Amino acid sequence: MAALEPLQSALVANGVRVVFMSSSEPWQTKEFLSKSVIQFPGKLFSDPTLQIHKAFKLQRGIWQSLVTPLWPGFKRYGLRGIVEGFRLGMEFSKLVGDSWQQGGTFVLSSEGKVMFGYCEDYPGDWKAMDKALGACGVNLNIDYHAAIKKWLSLREISRSTQPGSMTSYFLSWIALVLIICMVALWLIK
């Protein structure tokens, strides 16, 4: 989402409406939006029944949510980004619907025809955003590093006003170490 924020004017100029589907309850979605450090470049809707996710055949799984994103996430966002992702998950855990549900990126025509579709393998698997934008007629590159840097900076500023931020930081590191240990033990067997 942070990567799309700077593209908002290009999306609007091309008549693109961005829609996010959440697996959270409506009250959770509303609270999440009120606490978000970035401006949403579109509309966010709730689908706690996962009917939309199922219709688009999106994946769901614990492994995909906890283990699969570690290496690609480290390569794209660095260790700080991985830890911040865990931290964010812990801070917003009461606001998420199905934590094991993966997302996707789809471009629909005004008639509802799927012009482009990509099912994520894990959280943060946004490899296809340039293709999705191309399907919308927007030919701009996304600077993921700048978007992540901005997001991390905004999170840092936000945390400075929140009590208990060191606790979530510490717990995030513990969670990351436990997951790495579980994967190592699984690989050894």
Side-chain angles (χ1 to χ4, degrees), residues 28 88-97 99:
Q28 293 170 309
L88 181 71
M90 294 176 78
E91 289 173 20
F92 286 93
S93 62
K94 72 178 181 85
L95 301 180
V96 298
S99 297

Side-chain angles (χ1 to χ4, degrees), residues 58 103-107 114 116-120 125-126 128-129 132-133:
L58 297 172
T105 303
F106 297 89
V107 176
V114 177
F116 172 83
Y118 180 74
C119 298
E120 295 175 0
D125 179 21
W126 304 311
M129 288 307 296
L133 291 171

